[in-house]
């Protein structure tokens, strides 16, 4: 017999809107609450004010609501141990412990786990001084890859051929109290995001997706939290999911368990398909944003039940995730100025959702300033304007999702929805999934050799 689920989703961005929406469509789910939520989640769920970083407050809210599943969306509450507090209150929680979330909270910790588990990844040096940084840059040479060891809302990485820019980023990271810098060798080849839902023992992998980190077309400009994504990847090796599960996901889970920090939740592997094979760029401890918005548009499995199984250690009783046919593309509409200081308060008039295109809220508010916190957008703020007027309240403001028989049709529908959206103070990339739709992504020759 299926357990009726009352679900509380923690967070306020596009990832949480997409998660709550997919959960609400699960026939076992009787109620969906989101805290603090956003105007998009308010249209089908009940929003509640809460400090998402306060584990005791989250646990108290879950208890008050009678929730039997809490889903923690953003990385900062996970690293802060919010999932621990919820579990201590006797409530099932989807999300790793604070100790296990260090797989994202510290890139140095993640490298140590990967090396111990034999997971293929880039060579790296963990640096605490500028002298160590310059030595590592000289060792690896350009392109230089410089990563803040701590959380940086998706914007802590610089990849550049300019040594002075690399050093400047390292200096800014080191200036943050307690932060170290990780210098890595550059990995060639296209990047892939692959998620795995896990209870620490069993894993259920998603289909792969690809996101777009740079702010501008043709991957110009600085890194962002993500300007768009698409799935599936018609150019990827046919066995990529099985290969990553075997060589990356399961060895990492076993190593985390061996250390006494078992990982239960969503393990996100950011990958590069290099000339030497698959290499892990990074791990995240939560659903990726914006990839989740595209992936959940195609997921057929009942998400609430799968997350509850992972949270209760019964994932082995579920089957592999099931997917609808076709493709999905999400285009992020961001506020002018992002990823620097975004222009807040810009008026938004949404295009109506259809069966093939819908809009996810990432950093929006109503003009009176309520529902204005924007975890997913990376910038929180109070908006101005009429109380019932939707306005921009963050950096990444909207995620417009299109679905279709293939990537070309999904792109066409997503961009048509973008064009029908009135957001004069926003911008978006025009090339999300374009190369993939046109068959212009080439794998290194290594993969042709593997398949021959």
């Amino acid at each position: 017999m299926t357990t009726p689920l009352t679900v509380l989703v923690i967070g306020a961005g596009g990832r949480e809107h997409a998660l709550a929406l997919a959960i609400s469509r699960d026939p076992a789910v009787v109620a969906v609450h989101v805290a603090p939520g956003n105007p998009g989640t308010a249209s089908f769920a009940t929003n509640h004010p809460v400090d998402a970083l306060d584990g005791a407050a989250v646990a108290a809210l879950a208890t008050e609501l009678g929730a039997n599943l809490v889903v923690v969306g953003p990385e900062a509450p996970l690293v802060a141990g919010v999932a621990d507090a919820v579990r201590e209150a006797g409530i099932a929680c989807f999300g790793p412990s604070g100790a296990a979330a260090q797989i994202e909270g510290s890139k140095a910790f993640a490298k140590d786990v990967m090396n111990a588990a034999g997971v293929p990844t880039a060579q790296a040096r963990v640096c605490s001084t500028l002298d160590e940084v310059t030595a590592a840059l000289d060792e690896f040479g350009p392109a230089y890859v410089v990563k803040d060891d701590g959380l940086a809302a998706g914007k802590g990485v610089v990849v550049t051929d300019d040594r002075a820019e690399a050093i400047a980023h390292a200096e800014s990271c080191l200036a943050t109290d307690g932060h170290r810098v990780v210098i890595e060798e550059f990995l060639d080849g296209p990047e892939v995001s692959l998620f795995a839902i896990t209870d620490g023992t069993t894993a259920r992998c998603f289909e792969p997706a690809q996101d777009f980190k740079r702010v501008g077309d043709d991957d110009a400009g600085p890194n962002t939290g993500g300007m768009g994504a698409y799935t599936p990847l018609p150019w990827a090796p046919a066995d990529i999911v099985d290969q990553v599960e075997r060589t990356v996901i399961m060895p990492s889970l076993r190593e985390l368990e061996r250390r006494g920090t078992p990982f239960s939740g969503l393990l996100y592997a950011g990958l590069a398909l290099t000339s030497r094979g698959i290499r892990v760029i990074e791990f995240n401890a939560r659903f990726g944003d914006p990839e989740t918005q595209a992936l959940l548009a195609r997921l057929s499995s009942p998400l609430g039940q799968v997350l509850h199984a992972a949270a209760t250690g019964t994932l082995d009783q579920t089957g592999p995730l099931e997917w609808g046919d076709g493709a999905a593309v999400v285009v992020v509409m961001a506020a002018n100025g992002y990823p620097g200081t975004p222009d807040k308060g810009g008026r938004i008039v949404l295009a109506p959702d259809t069966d093939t295109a819908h809009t996810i809220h990432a950093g929006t508010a109503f003009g009176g300033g309520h529902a204005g916190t924007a975890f997913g957008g990376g910038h929180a703020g109070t908006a101005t304007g009429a109380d019932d007027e939707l306005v921009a309240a963050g950096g990444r403001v909207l995620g417009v999702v299109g679905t279709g028989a293939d990537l070309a049709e999904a792109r066409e529908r997503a961009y048509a929805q973008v064009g029908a959206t009135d957001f004069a103070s926003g911008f978006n990339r025009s090339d999300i999934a374009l190369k993939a739709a046109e068959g212009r992504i080439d794998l290194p020759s290594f993969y042709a050799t593997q398949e021959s």
Side-chain angles (χ1 to χ4, degrees), residues 204-205 207 295 298-302 306 319-325:
R204 296 286 182 250
C205 290
E207 290 195 354
L295 285 162
R298 294 186 54 238
L299 182 69
S300 299
S301 297
V306 175
L321 297 179
E322 297 178 356
W323 301 91
D325 295 332

Side-chain angles (χ1 to χ4, degrees), residues 248-336:
V248 174
I249 301 296
M250 295 311 299
S252 299
L253 293 177
R254 287 192 291 267
E255 174 61 20
L256 286 163
E257 184 176 25
R258 186 192 68 79
R259 292 170 178 238
T261 54
F263 188 102
S264 172
L266 194 289
L267 185 60
Y268 166 142
L271 310 164
L273 274 55
T274 78
S275 56
R276 294 173 291 155
I278 291 174
R279 296 290 185 272
V280 177
I281 300 170
E282 65 178 355
F283 278 128
N284 291 327
R286 38 70 192 182
F287 281 93
D289 189 0
E291 300 100 313
T292 297
Q293 298 174 37
L295 285 162
L296 294 185
R298 294 186 54 238
L299 182 69
S300 299
S301 297
L303 185 62
Q305 294 174 60
V306 175
L307 300 185
H308 186 259
T312 56
T314 59
L315 195 60
D316 62 338
Q317 298 175 25
T318 69
L321 297 179
E322 297 178 356
W323 301 91
D325 295 332
V329 173
V330 56
V331 179
V332 169
M333 301 184 75
N336 289 339

Side-chain angles (χ1 to χ4, degrees), residues 103-200:
I103 199 79
E104 177 171 6
S106 169
K107 292 176 177 61
F109 175 79
K111 283 292 182 184
D112 191 51
V113 169
M114 284 187 273
N115 290 333
V119 170
T121 187
Q123 295 185 67
R125 302 290 178 265
V126 181
C127 305
S128 301
T129 68
L130 198 56
D131 285 344
E132 292 174 350
V133 167
T134 57
L137 293 175
D138 291 341
E139 176 186 358
F140 292 134
Y144 303 108
V145 182
V146 184
K147 298 182 176 182
D148 191 330
D149 183 44
L151 294 178
K155 298 185 287 291
V157 180
V158 163
V159 181
T160 179
D161 289 322
D162 185 337
R163 192 171 184 274
E165 182 184 0
I167 291 174
H169 181 63
E171 284 182 311
S172 69
C173 296
L174 291 172
T176 303
D177 185 39
H179 280 219
R180 297 174 294 177
V181 175
V182 177
I183 310 296
E184 293 186 357
E185 65 171 332
F186 176 74
L187 297 175
D188 62 338
E191 295 185 9
V192 174
S193 301
L194 199 142
F195 304 168
I197 292 173
T198 178
D199 58 8

